[in-house]
Amino acid sequence: MKIKLNRWMTLPAVALLATSCYKEKAVSKDELDDIIAHMTLEEKVGQMTNLTLSTVAIETDSSIKLDSAKLYDVIVKHHVGSIQNVDKRAYDLVEWHYLISNMQRFTLEKTRHKIPFLYCIDAVHGANYINGATLFPHNIGLAATWNPELVKECASITAAQTRAAGIRYNFAPVLDVGRNQQWSRMGETFGEDTYLVTQMGTAAIRGFEGGNVKNSTKVAACMKHFLGYSVPLNGKDRAPAYIPEIVLREHFLPPFREAVKTGVHTLMVNSAEINGTPVHASKYLLTTVLREELGFKGVVITDWLDIMKLYERHKVAASHKEAVLLCVEAGIDMCIVPFDFSFSDDLIALVKEGKIPEKRIDASVKRILTLKKELGLFDNPSIEEKNISQFHKPDYSLTAYHAALESITLLKNDSILPLSSEKKVLVAGPLSHLLSSLHGAWSYSWQGNKEHLYPDSLRTIADVFLTQHKAKSVVADSSWSKEMLWKQAKSSDAIVVVVGEPAYAETPGNIPDLAFDPAQTELIKSLAKSGKPIVAVLLGGRPRIIREIEPYCKAILMAYWPGSQGGQAIYDVIMGHFNPCGKLPFTYPRYSGSLITYDHKLLDEAVEIVEPYQYFYEFKPQYEFGHGLSYTRFNYSDLQLNHDTLSEGDSLVVSLTVTNTGARGGHEVVQLYSKDLVASITPAVKRLRRFEKIYLLPGESKKVNFKLWPADLAFVNSELKWVTEKGGFEILLGDLKAEFVYN
Ligand code: BGC
């Protein structure tokens, strides 16, 4: 069947085709046991197998077509219960409907137990594999908004658009804590702080799942990548991490623990290894910690090719079969194989040889079928027509625009921004013309770098200046000579230079260090010679070292990967149509060799002033975690604690007054940090404990209250227990400080 890509003509036909062949049948929990009891081993193992779309379909530049022979092999012969993602590009809604409804129909018609199959996707910053969907800033930008409600809303729209395509399972959100800025997936994280990641990550899960994944606008979420993926020692993706358990529990486990409490349905395992143990082979992490300690009851899925890698890359298994054994014994339920039947073949053999009890298989299958049931697939596996009309809503792009606006972080401003509308602007820089650099990873393709796949309707930064600052903008052309560029710079009032990183994802985004691109550095230096003020817009998923170019720039905006409304949002911040309020969710390093997080230990700053050994290293990043300027000023005053002591079981109320002392309204993120003055494990210099984002009109004051409990001040001690030790604490809010004693 060749699908004609005319959305409005084809869509109802496909949807109807899908609906008409399904008999609705609700399945109770006990019925799941009954189904499992009647399944063959091969059928069960098929449910645990996840393959990629190319195993059942053939993609060309203009079409995606299911292949009935492949479908038969995968779904009927090998009983595969789930398929994922795209081959090389995003598909239209109508293409998705064609794929899902036909695969579903095939499954229900041709398999014995008629267990609906599950389609899975990476919709990590909007439904990035569905043409026409709304693409939001990546998580790092969303984290810079410090606005969990906005994160929830973005996730909610992502869920609605994903489900409208017929897909009910999303491999998101990333809950890795981004504590190595060089890591190529930094941009997919909510930054370096455990508390911020936890707040944002659980907000995303609430948006995706909404407490009821049967709802036809929701999807099952996947907390990933459990555990300790984000701090490879060499800074490269999927490289070994060495994390003492005390640190693992203090910084990396809490987002997952809270996500479990939020009810998240699934989890994906870290592809790499910690302390020499690949996480896929870690029974301690996947069973003892995850299941027994955190109480996770959902589905555990491997990452891409990772069972094979236990054998071929990690070398902890002498054969593929042994790798399967290790992984299943460790606790995985479903394997993203994703190209062949090696996992199922070996797993079947292992059970037949008595190495894995069939009961173990049943437990995984039960979790997978429960997920399918909770997603409503047994009730109604077809495309949910009533949700299709929800796919396009004008307020979706408004949310994307707001998210981009709130993410943009003004790092430096020497009285140049906002730019007056009278100023003649030269827009330059290699990224000013690129949609891919606004979107980053996972955008219409895995790497996000295929410029031709971006919809014509989207606008680059250069486009927005040209259309909205018409009479006063000149956009540099890459064909211009140096002389031409110089001439145009000379005749402008200001230069907006768009620089940073291209789009990349995962391992292809590996870099040797965080150095800024030399050609872009040269460009900024040569433009600066014109004497005209430079406004630098930084795009990218991680902070590249700007120490050398910073003095040449009057203003610097970090825009991360802001998504489809990024061009407009950046323009509106530069022109002052919106007062910037983004705050860095990571420490912006000054040197590639000093990747220190804000919550470091005192010894990360070496201070020795005794003669003759005078040495001094202060913590002086380019910009601190939580930094971000506004076009107005905020004054903090009247910090009060309701008690100067805190007792077990009690809470402490911290309050302060924030006043907008500038001339325009603005948002402020009030960040509360605590400092443990003395503790049995060396305390961090400070830790974020609470934050609140407020809006104040010029001259307006607001009292902000925070309630802290002893548990909010806890840390992991040498016995790996969370404790709050008695003694003195300091509360830090802006420049204000107050002390209290926990007794
Ligand atoms: C990534 C995961 C992703 C998976 C499926 C892997 O390469 O690490 O984050 O969910 O692919 O696409």
Side-chain angles (χ1 to χ4, degrees):
M1 174 184 177
K2 173 102 173 74
I3 201 84
K4 197 160 165 273
L5 301 183
N6 178 327
R7 173 168 302 147
W8 306 119
M9 281 176 60
T10 325
L11 189 151
V14 172
L16 275 179
L17 170 83
T19 327
S20 59
C21 42
Y22 302 139
K23 270 197 247 109
E24 301 222 340
K25 84 177 162 80
V27 167
S28 72
K29 269 231 151 123
D30 294 345
E31 280 178 84
L32 292 183
D33 288 326
D34 195 48
I35 295 176
I36 294 169
H38 288 89
M39 285 169 85
T40 63
L41 175 62
E42 288 73 9
E43 285 166 340
K44 293 180 202 173
V45 167
Q47 288 298 318
M48 295 171 70
T49 305
N50 181 282
L51 299 185
T52 192
L53 181 60
S54 63
T55 60
V56 291
I58 297 164
E59 184 182 307
T60 64
D61 282 347
S62 57
S63 75
I64 174 79
K65 221 177 141 192
L66 288 168
D67 179 307
S68 50
K70 285 178 165 197
L71 267 182
Y72 185 82
D73 191 34
V74 168
I75 290 177
V76 181
K77 200 161 158 225
H78 288 91
H79 319 283
V80 171
S82 63
I83 303 281
Q84 67 154 297
N85 267 308
V86 298
D87 192 2
K88 296 180 195 67
R89 60 170 175 93
Y91 307 130
D92 287 353
L93 205 55
V94 68
E95 291 176 297
W96 278 117
H97 290 160
Y98 153 74
L99 287 170
I100 309 268
S101 54
N102 283 299
M103 274 190 255
Q104 202 65 280
R105 186 180 56 158
F106 197 89
T107 307
L108 297 185
E109 281 181 5
K110 308 235 184 286
T111 61
R112 226 160 54 95
H113 301 287
K114 311 203 178 310
I115 299 169
F117 86 95
L118 179 65
Y119 207 92
C120 334
I121 203 152
D122 285 276
V124 302
H125 68 126
N128 42 254
Y129 280 149
I130 306 174
N131 289 326
T134 311
L135 299 200
F136 302 102
H138 270 275
N139 287 347
I140 199 71
L142 289 182
T145 70
W146 295 59
N147 184 344
E149 276 311 301
L150 192 52
V151 172
K152 183 176 160 212
E153 203 179 323
C154 295
S156 190
I157 294 170
T158 304
Q161 293 198 317
T162 302
R163 184 110 175 198
I167 303 168
R168 302 189 189 187
Y169 177 21
N170 186 13
F171 296 145
V174 165
L175 295 185
D176 302 310
V177 186
R179 293 174 76 78
N180 180 329
Q181 293 99 328
Q182 191 182 321
W183 185 44
S184 59
R185 306 192 74 171
M186 182 73 192
E188 293 184 55
T189 75
F190 289 109
E192 78 183 31
D193 178 70
T194 303
Y195 179 73
L196 185 60
V197 170
T198 305
Q199 298 307 305
M200 297 312 212
T202 49
I205 291 166
R206 289 199 302 277
F208 288 135
E209 298 201 336
N212 175 15
V213 293
K214 205 169 249 186
N215 182 323
S216 69
T217 61
K218 295 295 168 196
V219 293
C222 178
M223 50 177 171
K224 67 185 190 183
H225 308 77
F226 186 82
L227 184 69
Y229 181 26
S230 50
V231 281
L233 185 64
N234 70 9
K236 310 291 192 298
D237 185 40
R238 290 172 158 82
Y242 297 89
I243 315 175
E245 185 153 356
I246 190 168
V247 176
L248 203 61
R249 287 174 173 276
E250 176 81 38
H251 288 292
F252 300 98
L253 194 57
F256 291 94
R257 171 174 283 127
E258 290 311 307
V260 171
K261 289 187 195 153
T262 308
V264 65
H265 278 76
T266 80
L267 170 142
M268 188 183 286
V269 181
N270 165 13
S271 265
E273 59 180 64
I274 307 175
N275 308 333
T277 301
V279 181
H280 282 84
S282 172
K283 187 166 186 179
Y284 174 65
L285 288 177
L286 298 183
T287 298
T288 312
V289 175
L290 179 67
R291 299 269 185 219
E292 292 163 18
E293 195 181 314
L294 267 51
F296 180 62
K297 302 226 165 6
V299 172
V300 172
I301 186 163
T302 72
D303 202 342
W304 186 267
L305 275 173
D306 277 318
I307 292 194
M308 180 276 281
K309 283 189 199 147
L310 292 182
Y311 160 55
E312 290 196 353
R313 296 272 295 156
H314 298 284
K315 300 285 177 198
V316 293
S319 63
H320 183 272
K321 196 168 171 187
E322 194 183 325
V324 174
L325 177 65
L326 275 177
C327 215
V328 172
E329 280 184 338
I332 69 102
D333 295 314
M334 191 189 279
C335 173
I336 303 185
V337 191
F339 299 110
D340 57 31
F341 305 107
S342 53
F343 167 74
S344 34
D345 289 348
D346 280 339
L347 186 51
I348 291 164
L350 285 161
V351 177
K352 287 191 172 155
E353 288 161 19
K355 299 215 170 87
I356 296 178
E358 196 156 345
K359 268 206 332 263
R360 166 68 190 84
I361 304 297
D362 291 353
S364 284
V365 176
K366 179 79 181 277
R367 284 192 278 264
I368 293 163
L369 296 193
T370 303
L371 173 66
K372 292 185 173 187
K373 177 183 173 309
E374 288 181 0
L375 283 166
L377 281 165
F378 284 102
D379 303 338
N380 172 23
S382 44
I383 311 288
E384 292 142 315
E385 281 176 75
K386 68 173 189 287
N387 194 26
I388 298 173
S389 61
Q390 304 288 304
F391 185 74
H392 286 293
K393 275 187 163 179
D395 53 331
Y396 292 170
S397 32
L398 211 58
T399 303
Y401 169 64
H402 277 293
L405 280 177
E406 288 200 32
S407 73
I408 294 168
T409 309
L410 183 59
L411 299 176
K412 174 178 179 178
N413 188 13
D414 277 353
S415 314
I416 171 86
L417 295 184
L419 275 188
S420 136
S421 56
E422 294 310 308
K423 291 246 196 285
K424 191 170 167 214
V425 177
L426 169 67
V427 181
L431 310 187
S432 61
H433 290 279
L434 296 182
L435 287 167
S436 52
S437 289
L438 289 174
H439 289 77
W442 304 104
S443 303
Y444 303 103
S445 68
W446 173 43
Q447 292 296 306
N449 57 0
K450 294 182 183 159
E451 200 65 26
H452 69 279
L453 292 182
Y454 287 87
D456 293 339
S457 57
L458 299 183
R459 282 165 310 159
T460 64
I461 300 176
D463 293 336
V464 180
F465 270 92
L466 275 182
T467 50
Q468 295 177 31
H469 199 58
K470 237 186 215 142
K472 311 242 172 235
S473 289
V474 176
V475 171
D477 196 292
S478 56
S479 66
W480 284 4
S481 63
K482 266 193 170 163
E483 291 68 37
M484 179 67 170
L485 190 65
W486 171 263
K487 200 174 134 217
Q488 290 293 348
K490 279 295 240 192
S491 63
S492 304
D493 299 317
I495 304 164
V496 171
V497 60
V498 188
V499 287
E501 298 194 314
Y504 56 82
E506 301 189 49
T507 310
N510 281 351
I511 45 173
D513 61 37
L514 283 169
F516 206 73
D517 175 41
Q520 297 184 23
T521 303
E522 268 323 296
L523 172 72
I524 290 180
K525 284 183 176 174
S526 81
L527 285 170
K529 287 191 191 133
S530 69
K532 297 303 160 87
I534 293 180
V535 175
V537 176
L538 305 177
L539 296 174
R542 59 195 152 191
R544 304 301 289 258
I545 302 297
I546 53 169
R547 189 179 69 248
E548 204 179 327
I549 55 167
E550 187 270 347
Y552 296 93
C553 305
K554 284 267 176 229
I556 302 176
L557 284 132
M558 179 72 193
Y560 314 94
W561 277 326
S564 53
Q565 299 300 313
Q568 184 68 50
I570 289 165
Y571 174 77
D572 284 337
V573 167
I574 290 176
M575 301 312 293
H577 306 151
F578 182 81
N579 188 357
C581 58
K583 304 280 179 192
L584 280 177
F586 52 73
T587 305
Y588 203 118
R590 189 178 290 270
Y591 299 96
S592 251
S594 296
L595 304 184
I596 300 172
T597 55
Y598 85 93
D599 51 354
H600 55 272
K601 302 291 179 87
L602 264 177
L603 261 62
D604 280 309
E605 307 175 39
V607 184
E608 180 62 78
I609 43 170
V610 182
E611 294 283 357
Y613 306 109
Q614 286 206 20
Y615 52 84
F616 191 68
Y617 170 72
E618 57 179 338
F619 173 62
K620 201 165 174 261
Q622 194 76 47
Y623 302 105
E624 292 216 19
F625 173 83
H627 167 77
L629 302 170
S630 163
Y631 295 153
T632 188
R633 288 179 310 280
F634 297 100
N635 182 53
Y636 287 22
S637 62
D638 202 20
L639 172 61
Q640 288 184 5
L641 311 184
N642 67 338
H643 299 295
D644 50 13
T645 57
L646 172 67
S647 311
E648 219 180 312
D650 251 353
S651 64
L652 184 76
V653 179
V654 179
S655 63
L656 81 160
T657 302
V658 184
T659 307
N660 181 348
T661 56
R664 57 180 295 172
H667 292 92
E668 171 68 336
V669 179
V670 186
Q671 304 164 33
L672 184 153
Y673 295 88
S674 76
K675 188 167 169 175
D676 198 340
L677 298 181
V678 177
S680 62
I681 293 294
T682 54
V685 294
K686 60 177 185 175
R687 292 290 300 269
L688 180 71
R689 300 303 187 190
R690 291 281 187 279
F691 60 87
E692 192 175 327
K693 190 164 188 172
I694 55 172
Y695 183 83
L696 293 175
L697 292 166
E700 193 185 358
S701 289
K702 190 171 176 184
K703 191 167 178 195
V704 181
N705 297 310
F706 297 102
K707 194 181 251 189
L708 288 176
W709 298 89
D712 295 320
L713 307 164
F715 64 91
V716 179
N717 72 7
S718 58
E719 275 135 45
L720 305 179
K721 300 263 177 329
W722 281 95
V723 291
T724 308
E725 287 178 352
K726 309 230 144 110
F729 285 85
E730 204 167 68
I731 295 290
L732 310 159
L733 275 144
D735 290 337
L736 305 177
K737 287 179 185 174
E739 281 194 18
F740 69 92
V741 173
Y742 175 59
N743 57 26

